[in-house]
Amino acid sequence: MEKFNISGIQQVGVGTVDFSRSWNWFIDMFGINVRILEDDTVAERMLPYTGNKAQKRHACITVSLQGGGGLEVWQYSERKPQPCPFQPAVADLGIFAAKIKCRDVAKFHETASKKWDGCTDICRYPDGTPCFYIKDLYGNWFQIIQRTDIYIEQKSLTGGVVGALIGVTDMEKSMEYYQQVLGFDKVLFDVTGSFDDWAALPEGGQRYRRVLLGTSASRTGAFSGLYGDSMVELVQALDRVPRKIYEGRFWGDPGFIQLCFDVTGMNEFGRFCAEKGYPFTVDSCPDGQIFDMGDASGRFTYNEDPDGTLVEFVESYRIPVVKKLGWFIDMGRRDASKPLPKFLFRMMGIVSIVRKV
């Protein structure tokens, strides 16, 4: 039995040219409005992906109490962010879209379409699930997909992130990584052709192979209740050679930066990844020291999927609940396999809900 655990998708990173505008848009559109942490310091440990130079940035992680992973909104503070020089298309290498869960796709589509013109028509996922796609202020695509599970009721139609759509060049090799390393061991569908739900997306009318991966059992761990079940959709272009979305650009530049997972037992997980052929490329605490992230502390690492898409892993050591009262959760003092009680997240919501920034 492995001595590590992956609790679920913690967040998807979103690089932007305007931190406040992007965060406000996510609050207004998706209700992802509970700030877990915010930091405005220098990223000193990401040198392999930031031109071998420490870079100052402003970042926050925010979640929805209705469940799902969060978003890490991220902007360079001193360096000018470099947008992608081309319009990313379906199956380009990297994260093309983040998946947002929605309890009523039809009703949310009606609401979203009235206040934003970046919505596609409602369509059907290959498995028949209602969905549609929405483009944010800076051209990032989000798939709104029907999911009825709610963690803590907030009277919102949408929750957090439940997955990502990732372009690959070799489906079998990529499936091996996401199944064997990240634990997405269940094939939910494996289909080839052209697809109606992508008709409005860039290059969406071409032929693709699409594989949706989930888990055969629900994840466990402190944050597993909040994150819930997640999925990864891998897509391979059959009619063209895909481009790499972050070719020649830095981590943190505009677009979907990384897919991040919550992990316990990082040392053991690192050895496991190396044995599978995917060693850590970044480790914030290689000598076991503690890395402070604003009011929280922990350890983060990265590796890459077979096409270089960045995957982050975070092991949390200390989590703020009510900062003003000095109330923090010491993760080392509790059973890492047991979910945190809901009342702690309710308390976080009471003190951390952000209306506008």
Side-chain angles (χ1 to χ4, degrees):
M1 184 175 179
E2 306 295 352
K3 296 181 179 180
F4 62 85
N5 183 59
I6 300 176
S7 294
I9 293 177
Q10 185 199 81
Q11 40 91 355
V12 172
V14 186
T16 181
V17 298
D18 192 317
F19 178 88
S20 295
R21 286 195 72 205
S22 288
W23 194 1
N24 286 336
W25 192 90
F26 297 135
I27 292 170
D28 289 341
M29 186 59 66
F30 301 140
I32 300 179
N33 60 358
V34 176
R35 176 171 43 204
I36 299 299
L37 64 88
E38 186 171 0
D39 197 17
D40 190 2
T41 56
V42 176
E44 298 177 335
R45 293 165 170 82
M46 294 299 294
L47 300 185
Y49 302 112
T50 57
N52 211 31
K53 177 183 178 182
Q55 302 282 353
K56 193 171 189 299
R57 87 284 192 257
H58 187 187
C60 76
I61 295 177
T62 180
V63 303
S64 165
L65 292 183
Q66 293 206 163
L71 294 172
E72 181 180 22
V73 187
W74 207 104
Q75 183 188 350
Y76 282 102
S77 300
E78 297 173 345
R79 171 182 174 270
K80 184 178 180 180
Q82 298 298 309
C84 186
F86 58 87
Q87 181 185 51
V90 172
D92 279 342
L93 305 180
I95 301 170
F96 175 78
K99 298 174 183 287
I100 302 290
K101 72 175 184 176
C102 177
R103 71 204 306 174
D104 189 328
V105 164
K107 186 177 290 186
F108 182 64
H109 185 270
E110 180 181 0
T111 301
S113 297
K114 288 179 180 177
K115 61 181 179 181
W116 187 247
D117 62 2
C119 302
T120 69
D121 293 336
I122 294 177
C123 46
R124 292 277 176 179
Y125 209 36
D127 65 1
T129 304
C131 69
F132 71 94
Y133 296 82
I134 183 170
K135 187 165 57 173
D136 77 359
L137 290 165
Y138 301 108
N140 300 305
W141 287 96
F142 293 81
Q143 182 193 30
I144 312 302
I145 188 161
Q146 188 107 347
R147 282 270 296 265
T148 58
D149 56 300
I150 301 294
Y151 184 61
I152 296 175
E153 180 61 66
Q154 300 292 293
K155 309 299 183 184
S156 175
L157 290 172
T158 53
V161 174
V162 293
L165 192 161
I166 300 171
V168 305
T169 55
D170 183 328
M171 184 61 74
E172 304 307 324
K173 188 174 182 180
S174 293
M175 287 176 65
E176 180 180 275
Y177 171 79
Y178 286 95
Q179 289 179 314
Q180 296 186 14
V181 177
L182 301 185
F184 289 100
D185 60 339
K186 185 175 182 179
V187 177
L188 301 176
F189 64 66
D190 183 345
V191 292
T192 298
S194 56
F195 302 95
D196 292 342
D197 64 313
W198 284 355
L201 302 183
E203 307 292 357
Q206 296 183 3
R207 293 173 61 253
Y208 299 95
R209 181 180 175 191
R210 301 171 67 171
V211 176
L212 183 67
L213 299 176
T215 56
S216 56
S218 294
R219 305 272 193 180
T220 61
F223 299 95
S224 59
L226 174 66
Y227 299 147
D229 293 333
S230 57
M231 65 190 90
V232 171
E233 183 176 357
L234 307 179
V235 54
Q236 181 177 350
L238 302 179
D239 293 338
R240 63 184 172 87
V241 177
R243 297 165 292 184
K244 188 170 184 178
I245 295 173
Y246 272 87
E247 185 70 44
R249 297 193 300 142
F250 288 0
W251 169 82
D253 275 333
F256 291 112
I257 308 169
Q258 82 261 325
L259 181 62
C260 176
F261 293 86
D262 182 85
V263 171
T264 54
M266 190 70 82
N267 286 334
E268 291 80 5
F269 183 61
R271 286 191 282 270
F272 174 80
C273 289
E275 289 170 0
K276 293 292 185 181
Y278 298 97
F280 292 157
T281 56
V282 167
D283 188 341
S284 67
C285 305
D287 300 317
Q289 70 271 41
I290 293 176
F291 179 73
D292 287 324
M293 298 174 286
D295 299 315
S297 66
R299 178 182 179 184
F300 69 83
T301 62
Y302 280 77
N303 66 18
E304 301 177 6
D305 83 354
D307 291 290
T309 298
L310 287 178
V311 181
E312 181 183 15
F313 309 101
V314 172
E315 183 166 21
S316 299
Y317 299 154
R318 186 182 70 162
I319 300 293
V321 180
V322 183
K323 176 183 173 183
K324 291 181 179 179
L325 300 179
W327 185 3
F328 295 82
I329 302 171
D330 184 345
M331 301 300 291
R333 294 179 178 271
R334 63 181 313 279
D335 185 343
S337 67
K338 292 184 177 180
L340 288 166
K342 285 186 179 182
F343 83 86
L344 291 176
F345 293 101
R346 288 192 177 98
M347 289 298 299
M348 290 182 193
I350 290 171
V351 300
S352 302
I353 285 182
V354 179
R355 303 300 177 186
K356 288 284 186 177
V357 292

